[in-house]
Amino acid sequence: MRWPGALSQRASTPASEPSQDPRPPRHKGFGYTYEIAPVFVLMEEEVLKKLRALVGWSSGDGVFCPGGSISNMYALNLARYQRYPDCKQRGLRALPPLALFTSKECHYSIKKGAAFLGLGTDSVRMVKADERGKMIPEDLERQISLAKAEGAVPFLVSATSGTTVLGAFDPLEAIADVCQHHGLWLHVDAAWGGSVLLSQTHRHLLAGIQRADSVAWNPHKLLSAGLQCSALLLRDTSNLLKRCHGSQASYLFQQDKFYDVALDTGDKVVQCGRRVDCLKLWLMWKAQGGQGLERRVDQAFALARYLVEELKKREGFELVMEPEFVNVCFWFVPPSLRGKKESPDYSERLSKVAPILKERMVRKGSMMIGYQPHGPLSNFFRMVVANPALTRADMDFLLNELEWLGQDL
């Protein structure tokens, strides 16, 4: 791939004369104008178009962002601007008290984004989730009515497709019905679960996503694209991104250029120069093909199911719940605690097991698996089966290693 200016710099240095600076020429990055990176601008548009089609949209907009947290933050800002466009010029004084809604299982970036945008974390109303971690639409309706009664103006609902811990998918059709009834922006944080759309077998988990106004999707998660690779997708066709974020700097975004200035995408985003994140997904898609990426998703589901079935066969392993995604959450119950569930200190003692085993596996260098408590539940392991290089032998090793590390507990 030829970078602008690289060839001309080399050509200007005689072969017999060493370069004064061996470092490659520096560039601000990609993406703010078509002329600085024409191939990458077109590549990004093509990849975004493909992702939107998988969501179910024949048109729309979007941009690659530095991670799902930023994608979620963009969605909050766009929804606010659409409702109150004066806020771009007048700031927070142009706004009434606003309320946005998400489940208690949401990613922490929703609250962080509300704080960063000046909405405040108090503007985030936490909706109850059921025992599987899914948002309860009836409680969403109740929370919206409560916010209105308190004088706040609801403007956005953020549903989660693939929660961080349990891997839950919120019921998007029912949530979309609530949003439609109240005229609210529906954002779907599918940073983790969005890649399920590539699988004909499992895409039903995202039924209703085509009704969203915006979607965050991280191919660097389940698809294992190189970090970072996160897309924000919009159903909007009114150039909302540019209207919300544009500054119309005349030294970059001249309107009398000889090409279509709609290709100058830099005014759509908060950044100026950006990394070529779309290239990672474009190359992987070219190499693997749609069917190859579908197999990658299906293989992760199959391997997670294998781990669940093997876990059930072994004494001392207990599922937190049957997974619907590739998050396999379970306890390892050591020999000293087996058969003692009725003991008053059982939960407290069980909660200490995962941290001990985590330290042992890390010091040994054999594995690295996350653990956490969850509500009233004691610390449990969360095995996320996403790496396409994993095999059944790795799942067997995981269980064998935990048994060995915890045999004296």
Side-chain angles (χ1 to χ4, degrees):
M1 187 66 69
R2 296 180 177 180
W3 290 90
L7 293 180
S8 61
Q9 177 168 328
R10 283 199 296 270
S12 66
T13 304
S16 60
E17 180 182 330
S19 171
Q20 297 299 311
D21 187 350
R23 296 174 299 176
R26 295 179 62 192
H27 300 282
K28 288 184 179 180
F30 134 77
Y32 48 98
T33 62
Y34 173 75
E35 58 195 317
I36 199 67
V39 173
F40 295 143
V41 167
L42 297 176
M43 184 181 291
E44 182 176 47
E45 290 300 305
E46 192 63 28
V47 173
L48 289 170
K49 180 180 178 182
K50 185 71 173 179
L51 294 176
R52 287 195 302 266
L54 287 168
V55 170
W57 301 332
S58 59
S59 60
D61 204 350
V63 67
F64 276 82
C65 300
S69 292
I70 303 299
S71 295
N72 288 338
M73 195 179 300
Y74 266 80
L76 301 187
N77 198 39
L78 290 164
R80 179 176 66 175
Y81 173 82
Q82 185 196 53
R83 188 71 172 262
Y84 295 102
D86 284 353
C87 71
K88 180 177 179 179
Q89 180 176 349
R90 298 182 57 221
L92 298 181
R93 66 180 182 273
L95 300 173
L98 296 179
L100 63 107
F101 307 84
T102 190
S103 88
K104 66 183 186 70
E105 300 286 333
C106 75
H107 191 261
Y108 68 84
S109 61
I110 302 299
K111 277 195 169 184
K112 184 173 285 191
F116 185 82
L117 293 170
L119 295 167
T121 56
D122 285 349
S123 69
V124 182
R125 308 294 181 104
M126 307 306 293
V127 181
K128 292 179 181 178
D130 64 19
E131 68 281 355
R132 295 198 57 83
K134 300 171 181 287
M135 184 190 290
I136 300 174
E138 293 78 11
D139 192 59
L140 172 62
E141 184 75 55
R142 185 185 69 82
Q143 292 275 12
I144 292 171
S145 298
L146 180 61
K148 288 180 178 179
E150 293 174 353
V153 178
F155 77 105
L156 173 140
V157 174
S158 179
T160 311
S161 292
T163 59
T164 304
V165 178
L166 300 178
F169 288 76
D170 286 344
L172 299 182
E173 288 283 12
I175 293 170
D177 287 342
V178 175
C179 290
Q180 183 175 337
H181 175 70
H182 291 279
L184 306 183
W185 180 290
L186 173 56
H187 173 63
V188 177
D189 176 6
W192 177 209
S195 297
V196 169
L197 289 170
L198 286 153
S199 169
Q200 293 300 314
T201 303
H202 301 290
R203 62 174 293 128
H204 65 88
L205 292 169
L206 286 165
I209 195 170
Q210 74 282 356
R211 299 177 64 185
D213 295 286
S214 58
V215 173
W217 179 353
N218 287 7
H220 68 231
K221 294 187 183 293
L222 185 56
L223 291 184
S224 297
L227 273 170
Q228 60 200 24
C229 188
S230 173
L232 173 71
L233 308 174
L234 297 175
R235 187 154 52 107
D236 174 81
T237 57
S238 70
N239 215 10
L240 184 66
L241 267 170
K242 189 172 183 178
R243 289 188 288 116
C244 179
H245 300 128
S247 61
Q248 301 174 338
S250 61
Y251 53 86
L252 278 181
F253 307 114
Q254 302 93 337
Q255 297 303 295
D256 53 357
K257 293 179 180 179
F258 65 90
Y259 57 81
D260 181 1
V261 294
L263 294 170
D264 289 348
T265 55
D267 229 12
K268 291 181 175 182
V269 297
V270 175
Q271 298 165 265
C272 184
R274 293 185 289 128
R275 291 183 178 273
V276 192
D277 293 329
C278 66
L279 177 62
K280 305 161 191 177
L281 182 54
W282 188 88
L283 287 172
M284 187 172 72
W285 217 322
K286 286 290 186 181
Q288 298 285 331
Q291 291 182 341
L293 295 183
E294 181 176 15
R295 282 194 298 271
R296 181 169 289 192
V297 174
D298 290 344
Q299 177 186 340
F301 274 86
L303 207 54
R305 176 46 48 188
Y306 173 80
L307 175 59
V308 168
E309 296 307 319
E310 290 301 305
L311 187 150
K312 290 178 179 178
K313 296 176 184 177
R314 303 197 185 205
E315 184 182 10
F317 290 92
E318 183 182 346
L319 276 175
V320 173
M321 64 176 59
E322 287 284 344
E324 66 174 346
F325 196 23
V326 296
N327 302 37
V328 181
C329 299
F330 64 93
W331 289 283
F332 175 73
V333 183
S336 65
L337 287 179
R338 293 172 193 171
K340 298 182 179 178
K341 241 181 185 179
E342 304 306 318
S343 300
D345 61 346
Y346 177 83
S347 181
E348 180 183 352
R349 292 172 63 189
L350 180 62
S351 193
K352 296 177 181 178
V353 173
I356 292 172
L357 293 183
K358 176 65 178 279
E359 180 182 356
R360 289 180 176 183
M361 69 176 73
V362 171
R363 288 186 180 278
K364 182 182 177 185
S366 59
M367 301 189 302
M368 189 178 292
I369 308 169
Y371 71 86
Q372 66 283 300
H374 190 73
L377 301 177
S378 303
N379 281 322
F380 56 83
F381 285 110
R382 172 170 48 99
M383 175 61 187
V384 179
V385 186
N387 187 338
L390 290 173
T391 65
R392 289 189 172 193
D394 294 314
M395 301 299 100
D396 294 337
F397 174 83
L398 161 70
L399 299 179
N400 292 336
E401 184 73 358
L402 286 174
E403 287 179 332
W404 188 86
L405 292 171
Q407 61 185 331
D408 63 334
L409 296 180

